[in-house]
Amino acid sequence: MKNDRARPLLLTAFSAAAFFCVVAGSAFGHSRGDGGSHAGLDIPQISHGEMAVISDYRGRIIDLASRAVETNEPFRRVLNYAEIQYSYCLWGRMPGSVTDEESPFNECAHAYLAATKAVLLSMREMPRERAAAGEIISAVDADMVRRGLALITCRFSGEAFNTADIVKPRWSGIPFHAASMASLTGLASLFGLGVFVLRRFSRPKAQSPE
């Protein structure tokens, strides 16, 4: 009896996982945005060691940048790119996306963190944001030295980016990256559980004969 009750749940979870993979594969089949015109603004590369520290300060940097008043178009475009890339990289929620070079999400993490770094450095030239930006830069530098990350690189460390070129995760590599696969499978299972529970409680109850 228990197996009979569990079977619909397992089938729903499996279906949700398969659906997620199919949609992801069709929507994000390439790691780079189609076309890649490079007609936007160039963003300097970021090292693997810098990524680990900048990611810790990302919230403060974006919050400060979003409140900036005296901005210009290039600044706003880079900030917008940083936030778009962050969402494409599943908001940094995938395990190992920042620290693991083999993660299918590592290159897109390089992109949003490189843009975040560029935003931070730009705020050094803004009168109202200069002091706060300087404090964050000093904290980042101190953390880099303390954690010995200055010389750590990876295969994406020399890669520059462009606001016209969205970097997407390598979805085809997820089945070969255990942490990413486990995370997405767990997400699909939760989604499947939610669908199963919703269907169970929304099913009309049989009326008892009078």
Side-chain angles (χ1 to χ4, degrees):
M1 181 67 68
K2 291 183 178 180
N3 290 337
D4 292 339
R5 292 179 179 177
R7 188 176 296 114
L9 177 59
L10 294 176
L11 289 175
T12 303
F14 179 80
S15 299
F19 174 78
F20 184 88
C21 291
V22 169
V23 172
S26 61
F28 305 108
H30 302 285
S31 61
R32 285 283 187 170
D34 294 337
S37 64
H38 294 283
L41 301 174
D42 290 328
I43 298 173
Q45 68 271 18
I46 186 173
S47 72
H48 196 71
E50 286 179 306
M51 284 178 62
V53 180
I54 291 292
S55 65
D56 292 339
Y57 290 88
R58 182 195 169 277
R60 289 177 57 184
I61 296 169
I62 298 299
D63 182 62
L64 179 63
S66 64
R67 291 186 284 105
V69 178
E70 299 177 12
T71 63
N72 52 38
E73 183 181 356
F75 176 83
R76 292 191 295 271
R77 288 174 65 183
V78 174
L79 175 60
N80 185 56
Y81 178 81
E83 297 190 283
I84 290 174
Q85 272 295 161
Y86 187 57
S87 64
Y88 265 94
C89 207
L90 299 188
W91 303 276
R93 300 300 182 185
M94 297 304 295
S97 61
V98 173
T99 58
D100 186 1
E101 179 182 354
E102 300 303 321
S103 169
F105 296 84
N106 188 244
E107 186 180 15
C108 70
H110 269 268
Y112 80 75
L113 290 171
T116 302
K117 175 187 172 184
V119 166
L120 174 62
L121 296 181
S122 294
M123 288 191 290
R124 292 186 303 182
E125 310 303 323
M126 298 180 179
R128 296 186 180 183
E129 287 71 38
R130 181 183 297 125
E135 292 179 1
I136 297 176
I137 291 172
S138 296
V140 168
D141 287 341
D143 276 0
M144 290 279 292
V145 173
R146 179 176 57 84
R147 296 163 62 178
L149 298 173
L151 299 179
I152 296 179
T153 61
C154 74
R155 57 178 169 165
F156 300 120
S157 292
E159 182 177 354
F161 301 95
N162 189 282
T163 57
D165 192 3
I166 297 296
V167 181
K168 302 172 184 176
R170 292 184 297 104
W171 294 99
S172 61
I174 289 177
F176 307 101
H177 189 256
S180 297
M181 189 64 182
S183 181
L184 289 179
T185 300
L187 179 63
S189 298
L190 287 175
F191 176 77
L193 178 61
V195 171
F196 175 76
V197 172
L198 182 63
R199 290 180 60 186
R200 183 70 178 270
F201 282 94
S202 62
R203 185 180 304 168
K205 295 181 180 180
Q207 295 182 352
S208 56
E210 295 181 357

